[in-house]
Amino acid sequence: MDGTVGPLGKGSCVWYRQDKNSPWLLAEIRDVSSADSSISIQLVQSGKSVNRLQDGKEQLMPANPPVQQADADLTQLTYLNEPSIIDNLMQRYQQDVIYTNAGPVLIAVNPCRDLPLYTEQVQHAYKGEHG
């Protein structure tokens, strides 16, 4: 290894999961060792370090920069992968923004509660009425 994992190197943000049944967790690459092809990462939320991750390519996926968090259109993300899509939809959901585009496709996440999205004013505007 040359100090990188694919396009990523030391200091890059990545998604990490321990195995296929674990959730994706945000982490930062701390070190990439060319000697034994291992990768050391630090989990962002807990600060826990994971050292000597062998052949981490299956356990790591690139994460998008913070400026792209909760983007309204998934096609604008630098990295369009499973954990990035799930994280984007979750962040928008937590902000009560239940509609997200994936290019021309609209993704709607059920809020499981009433949201004040369709006020009387919005309903009248939709109908072409001035109210």
Side-chain angles (χ1 to χ4, degrees):
M1 286 191 153
D2 61 356
T4 63
V5 180
L8 305 172
K10 185 176 178 178
S12 295
C13 285
V14 293
W15 292 105
Y16 162 77
R17 70 175 174 183
Q18 190 169 1
D19 57 54
K20 291 184 180 186
N21 296 319
S22 300
W24 289 101
L25 303 171
L26 192 59
E28 182 179 326
I29 295 177
R30 296 314 234 167
D31 187 44
V32 179
S33 172
S34 56
D36 61 358
S37 299
S38 67
I39 302 163
S40 296
I41 61 170
Q42 183 171 4
L43 301 179
V44 170
Q45 194 169 29
S46 68
K48 178 183 172 187
S49 291
V50 179
N51 296 315
R52 295 186 175 258
L53 185 62
Q54 297 292 333
D55 192 27
K57 291 179 182 177
E58 290 182 17
Q59 294 174 282
L60 298 177
M61 289 207 177
N64 291 296
V67 72
Q68 290 183 329
Q69 291 181 343
D71 200 298
D73 189 346
L74 295 175
T75 62
Q76 299 302 309
L77 299 178
T78 302
Y79 300 109
L80 191 60
N81 52 39
E82 176 188 346
S84 292
I85 292 170
I86 291 169
D87 181 65
N88 187 284
L89 293 174
M90 186 182 315
Q91 286 190 35
R92 292 177 60 76
Y93 175 83
Q94 290 170 347
Q95 297 170 17
D96 290 337
V97 182
I98 61 170
Y99 298 116
T100 304
N101 288 81
V105 177
L106 178 65
I107 299 170
V109 180
N110 186 344
C112 301
R113 62 187 175 89
D114 288 333
L115 294 177
L117 297 176
Y118 305 109
T119 62
E120 290 286 327
Q121 184 179 5
V122 171
Q123 291 175 32
H124 289 298
Y126 180 75
K127 294 176 185 177
E129 303 170 355
H130 299 287

